[in-house]
Amino acid sequence: MAGSGPGPSSSSSSSFCSNSLPLQRLPEPLLALLSDSLDRAPPGKGWRELAQVAGSQAGLRLRLSSQELEQCSLQVLEPEGSPSRSLLQLMGERGCTVLELTELLQALKHTEALQYLNPPSIKIVLEPESLTAVSGQTVKLSCWAAGYPLLHYQWFKGDKMVPHGNSPELIFNQVSVDDAGFYICRVNSDFSYGFSQWARLDVSEGCGACHGGKSVAVECSEEDLSCLGEPDLTEEQSTERQYAVDKVALLMGNMSYRNHPKLKAPLVDVYELTNLLRQLDFKVVSVLDLTEPEMRNAVNEFLLLLDKGVYGLLYYAGHGYENYGNSFMVPIDAPNPYRAANCLCVQNILRRMQEKQTGLNVFLLDMCRKRNEYDNTILVLDALKVTANIVFGYATCQGAEAFEIQQSGLSNGIFVKFLKERLLEDKKITVLLDGVAEDMGKCHLTKGKQALEIRSSLSEKRALTDPIQQTVTSAEALARNLQWAKAHELPESMCLQFNCGVQIQLGFAAEFSNVMIVYTRIIKKPPEITVCNAYVTDFPLDLDVDPKEANKGTPEETGSYLLSKDLPKHCLYTRICSLQKLKEDLTFTVYLHYEYDGVDEVVDERKVVNIGKPLIAKLRIHQGFGKNSCLQHCCVSSGPCFTQSSDAGPAVYHPSHPNHHPHSYAGFPQPNSAHPEGISHPATCHCDMTPNRLMAWQTTWPYSFSSNQGNMPVETTDEQESDFSGNFRLS
């Protein structure tokens, strides 16, 4: 229903007056108000003084003769006559504009008349809120506005005017299912107008069952009626500990917008929440800077992790908006202006989560919720199921913005700044969020600007700290673990042996599910080599790798401020972003420059390294859901391989699953003559994994599926002690 509605898409107030508008084209009610104000003005501010100032400031064009002034004054003898109205008519006939009249009134300091020409904009101070009601209840939608002079209200349902809906409160004494729909209120004065936010009214049939549009009574026995007033016998059980079948989370942070202001806080917010949720045994997929199709495909992969009784949590930080009760997350490639078709609707994702019969659905939206005036699309979505397990934590109220705060050079969103202090508390999730809201309310930086809004239908004492309890390891659970583990597989660290005798350590660390750090250092150098430098380069164009920020001496120089304390020291670091865009195996080149003692000539060697598809690249979300992403997607190679070609060509490495290499030292593979020469390729995927095969495959999968260990991916590959602190620099 794009473009529909009772008025323009913008909710801002609008004046009917234009500075270049001739006076005779002003609305009659406004001319009447101006004339009355000038007629009863105190001495020095009346119509005669206006005529005098007009003649002196505007020149001959607006100078009135004594006969014309007398004609104006004689208007007092007429029943409806007005000297000021006659004067304004003469000035208008001579081309006087609203701007000129404004300047003349300013010279007279006639504030009342100036207010009529430039009325204050109408400001909606209380927006109507979406409501859910039962048929027969009394329901009230409220809209209050501030403005000048007298304000008039008119409610609309969709694009149709509501009869008798001309007051700030729209009251339904006995609401019915026919009253359900989207409502909006128009507020106007004589010269300007404004629209409220849309509010959605949902009405159910109450105790009766819906049949043919009417309510049908449900027959009850006396025994049924006698139980209505008695306490629930299971109430005592409600205080017992709840359990989750599994816990999974998708954390998305968008910062590097192409057509909109860039953000900083999502980097730190997503990283800190990832670490906290992993402590609570959540399987976490964390991604930064996704386009619209990438966001949709990431959500599809997230939905594959859900199942009956699973706790699902989705956190989003970035640009967003809320229209007509629906929240929209904005991808980094969204056009300017963007509309619903360019964004992801949160309520639609929730509906798909409900289809999985999840035990708990938590949405944490760290984004603005102002109305998008460029988008008048009303999404007509099916009503959500009454699952009593939904919790929304909005970082800010409807119609308001969300703020970032900088500390020590890094930024946090206000919401996460306070959320991270409480996230590990063993409390019902709604109680935990209430505490966050109270903490935010005490923050002087955003008091009155940003407040946490919590919406919940939770009927059980569910907490993020609830333990995971799986009585039977089902095929679905195994597939879920496989799907998650695929997004967290890092390449094994390796030792590269060059012909000159130099050995290079190559390691990897995950900053996010789509951001990886490659770190390199020289661990062995023959004594006859005096100068030795190495660096990595030639990364695929799909990836976001800035050559100017590669091979740096500190992680911070690459743009990675979060892993500094966890990475090995004395290395060169390169940050690789946007791994979700990787279409083929990740291949890059390690270059080695060195000099022998007494020889000025610089010698070069290079090796090409293939590390497969690391982290989220294995999910291939760039291709779209249903093509190469499958819950029963099995890509299992026969074993790890470390192969080297003949001397005529470069060494090519094809690491497989993160099994420990049979010939490794501290987790780093070493060259071994037992490995055959040539290039080994990973096994192809046929997507033919069945539930029975998954059950049988459990014993061969290298990860533990227990709730204690299966949720923690390897963040960095093992570090090998070196016997040489080599000289690494960017060449």
Side-chain angles (χ1 to χ4, degrees):
M1 215 158 69
S4 65
S9 60
S10 173
S11 62
S12 60
S13 298
S14 171
S15 174
F16 291 137
C17 303
S18 170
N19 286 336
S20 61
L21 190 70
L23 289 187
Q24 65 264 35
R25 294 186 57 188
L26 283 176
E28 187 60 36
L30 177 55
L31 285 171
L33 286 171
L34 286 171
S35 302
D36 180 67
S37 178
L38 289 167
D39 285 339
R40 54 182 174 79
K45 294 185 178 181
W47 67 272
R48 291 184 182 275
E49 288 77 16
L50 176 61
Q52 183 179 355
V53 172
S56 61
Q57 291 191 3
L60 294 176
R61 180 169 61 88
L62 295 183
R63 185 173 297 172
L64 274 67
S65 64
S66 56
Q67 183 179 359
E68 289 172 323
L69 291 173
E70 183 179 356
Q71 181 182 355
C72 291
S73 64
L74 291 176
Q75 292 296 316
V76 298
L77 302 177
E78 300 293 331
E80 301 295 333
S82 166
S84 300
R85 181 67 180 84
S86 180
L87 173 64
L88 293 175
Q89 182 177 353
L90 288 171
M91 293 173 64
E93 292 172 353
R94 299 185 182 187
C96 182
T97 65
V98 171
L99 176 60
E100 289 176 309
L101 178 60
T102 300
E103 293 173 346
L104 296 174
L105 292 172
Q106 287 173 342
L108 292 177
K109 297 182 179 180
H110 200 308
T111 56
E112 181 181 350
L114 286 170
Q115 281 186 332
Y116 291 141
L117 279 178
N118 299 284
S121 61
I122 294 175
K123 182 179 181 181
I124 308 293
V125 296
L126 177 63
E127 297 280 3
E129 294 187 354
S130 297
L131 299 173
T132 301
V134 177
S135 180
Q137 286 184 332
T138 299
V139 176
K140 178 173 65 177
L141 297 175
S142 299
C143 174
W144 294 91
Y148 181 88
L150 185 64
L151 296 180
H152 306 280
Y153 296 82
Q154 180 59 58
W155 288 89
F156 292 83
K157 180 183 179 184
D159 58 354
K160 295 181 180 179
M161 187 181 299
V162 177
H164 310 295
N166 48 17
S167 65
E169 295 182 339
L170 182 61
I171 300 175
F172 302 87
N173 290 321
Q174 289 187 326
V175 71
S176 69
V177 291
D178 294 334
D179 295 321
F182 288 93
Y183 289 84
I184 193 172
C185 185
R186 184 187 67 199
V187 186
N188 65 279
S189 63
D190 290 333
F191 324 113
S192 60
Y193 64 90
F195 282 91
S196 71
Q197 299 280 2
W198 286 89
R200 179 172 179 169
L201 177 60
D202 291 320
V203 183
S204 62
E205 281 289 359
C207 298
C210 183
H211 179 72
K214 296 183 180 181
S215 179
V216 179
V218 178
E219 295 186 3
C220 302
S221 65
E222 292 185 6
E223 183 180 354
D224 295 330
L225 293 173
S226 64
C227 294
L228 293 178
E230 296 179 3
D232 188 355
L233 296 178
T234 61
E235 183 176 358
E236 186 175 337
Q237 299 177 357
S238 65
T239 61
E240 296 180 358
R241 187 88 225 188
Q242 300 290 337
Y243 292 92
V245 172
D246 206 345
K247 295 191 281 188
V248 298
L250 172 62
L251 278 55
M252 296 187 290
N254 284 342
M255 302 180 299
S256 304
Y257 283 89
R258 301 173 186 174
N259 305 304
H260 306 278
K262 290 178 169 49
L263 303 175
K264 295 182 179 179
L267 174 76
V268 180
D269 292 346
V270 171
Y271 184 81
E272 292 184 334
L273 288 181
T274 297
N275 292 334
L276 291 171
L277 288 171
R278 283 177 178 163
Q279 294 181 50
L280 298 174
D281 285 331
F282 271 86
K283 292 179 171 67
V284 182
V285 175
S286 59
V287 285
L288 298 181
D289 290 335
L290 300 185
T291 63
E292 184 262 336
E294 291 169 352
M295 285 184 72
R296 295 189 186 279
N297 295 334
V299 168
N300 288 335
E301 295 291 343
F302 169 65
L303 292 171
L304 291 179
L305 300 176
L306 302 182
D307 199 1
K308 185 175 182 180
V310 173
Y311 286 14
L313 183 147
L314 189 147
Y315 170 81
Y316 170 74
H319 287 307
Y321 70 96
E322 184 168 315
N323 274 19
Y324 320 133
N326 290 320
S327 303
F328 294 90
M329 303 180 291
V330 181
I332 64 167
D333 62 338
N336 190 2
Y338 46 74
R339 295 175 174 82
N342 313 122
C343 306
L344 271 71
C345 178
V346 172
Q347 282 69 23
N348 190 39
I349 298 173
L350 174 59
R351 186 166 292 99
R352 297 173 64 191
M353 290 177 69
Q354 287 184 329
E355 295 174 356
K356 302 286 186 174
Q357 302 180 37
T358 40
L360 176 66
N361 297 315
V362 179
F363 280 75
L364 303 177
L365 297 177
D366 200 351
M367 64 183 199
C368 295
R369 296 177 63 200
K370 300 189 75 173
R371 183 181 175 191
N372 181 359
E373 63 181 22
Y374 299 103
D375 183 14
N376 206 32
T377 304
I378 301 177
L379 294 183
V380 181
L381 303 174
D382 294 334
L384 293 173
K385 297 179 181 178
V386 183
T387 54
N389 63 358
I390 302 169
V391 177
F392 273 100
Y394 293 96
T396 191
C397 294
Q398 189 179 42
E401 296 178 315
F403 293 88
E404 298 181 349
I405 185 172
Q406 289 193 356
Q407 288 180 306
S408 305
L410 296 176
S411 296
N412 255 139
I414 290 291
F415 176 39
V416 172
K417 173 179 170 59
F418 293 102
L419 176 65
K420 65 183 181 181
E421 302 298 328
R422 292 182 175 269
L423 195 63
L424 300 181
E425 293 179 356
D426 187 17
K427 295 179 179 178
K428 184 178 179 181
I429 178 61
T430 50
V431 175
L432 185 150
L433 291 175
D434 281 336
V436 176
E438 293 174 5
D439 295 342
M440 289 177 61
K442 299 173 185 176
C443 178
H444 68 281
L445 295 174
T446 55
K447 196 168 186 177
K449 299 178 182 178
Q450 179 178 349
L452 178 63
E453 181 178 335
I454 306 166
R455 296 183 184 178
S456 170
S457 66
L458 192 61
S459 62
E460 297 177 317
K461 191 177 181 180
R462 299 278 180 176
L464 299 181
T465 51
D466 289 342
I468 296 174
Q469 186 179 70
Q470 284 186 329
T471 56
V472 179
T473 304
S474 65
E476 289 79 8
L478 290 175
R480 184 165 57 246
N481 281 280
L482 171 60
Q483 192 75 359
W484 171 83
K486 278 169 33 180
H488 291 86
E489 291 177 9
L490 276 170
E492 284 192 29
S493 293
M494 60 186 68
C495 176
L496 306 184
Q497 180 74 45
F498 287 82
N499 294 334
C500 62
V502 172
Q503 290 184 1
I504 303 295
Q505 174 192 335
L506 191 62
F508 309 90
E511 188 174 16
F512 299 93
S513 298
N514 66 336
V515 179
M516 183 176 68
I517 307 296
V518 179
Y519 52 92
T520 55
R521 69 176 174 180
I522 299 172
I523 59 175
K524 185 177 180 180
K525 177 184 73 69
E528 62 270 19
I529 293 180
T530 56
V531 179
C532 187
N533 305 308
Y535 60 94
V536 295
T537 186
D538 299 335
F539 289 97
L541 298 178
D542 297 335
L543 302 180
D544 183 7
V545 183
D546 188 345
K548 297 180 180 178
E549 296 181 353
N551 301 286
K552 294 295 185 179
T554 64
E556 289 82 1
E557 292 178 89
T558 71
S560 176
Y561 303 94
L562 306 172
L563 289 179
S564 300
K565 63 182 183 299
D566 301 318
L567 292 173
K569 308 302 179 184
H570 311 298
C571 296
L572 289 184
Y573 308 92
T574 300
R575 188 170 187 255
I576 304 175
C577 304
S578 303
L579 287 173
Q580 75 277 1
K581 300 183 185 301
L582 193 63
K583 295 180 175 60
E584 305 294 338
D585 286 358
L586 176 50
T587 303
F588 57 90
T589 305
V590 179
Y591 280 89
L592 179 68
H593 298 321
Y594 56 93
E595 297 180 18
Y596 286 101
D597 186 18
V599 180
D600 294 335
E601 183 180 358
V602 178
V603 183
D604 295 337
E605 280 192 57
R606 68 184 180 93
K607 289 186 182 293
V608 176
V609 177
N610 184 324
I611 60 173
K613 292 184 173 63
L615 301 176
I616 203 172
K618 283 188 173 65
L619 299 184
R620 304 179 184 180
I621 66 173
H622 66 274
Q623 293 180 331
F625 181 62
K627 295 180 181 178
N628 287 285
S629 177
C630 173
L631 184 59
Q632 287 109 9
H633 183 71
C634 176
C635 289
V636 186
S637 59
S638 57
C641 73
F642 179 96
T643 61
Q644 185 169 349
S645 65
S646 62
D647 294 338
V652 182
Y653 301 91
H654 291 278
S656 62
H657 277 287
N659 296 322
H660 287 297
H661 195 277
H663 303 282
S664 63
Y665 175 72
F668 293 92
Q670 303 292 325
N672 188 284
S673 58
H675 288 282
E677 294 184 356
I679 300 176
S680 299
H681 297 278
T684 58
C685 172
H686 302 287
C687 288
D688 59 354
M689 181 64 75
T690 64
N692 290 335
R693 291 184 180 180
L694 277 169
M695 294 290 287
W697 194 55
Q698 180 182 5
T699 57
T700 65
W701 179 248
Y703 282 105
S704 167
F705 287 131
S706 70
S707 60
N708 294 328
Q709 299 176 7
N711 296 339
M712 298 298 294
V714 178
E715 287 302 321
T716 60
T717 47
D718 296 335
E719 177 183 356
Q720 182 186 37
E721 297 295 330
S722 70
D723 57 4
F724 171 71
S725 181
N727 177 24
F728 265 69
R729 67 172 183 267
L730 179 63
S731 300

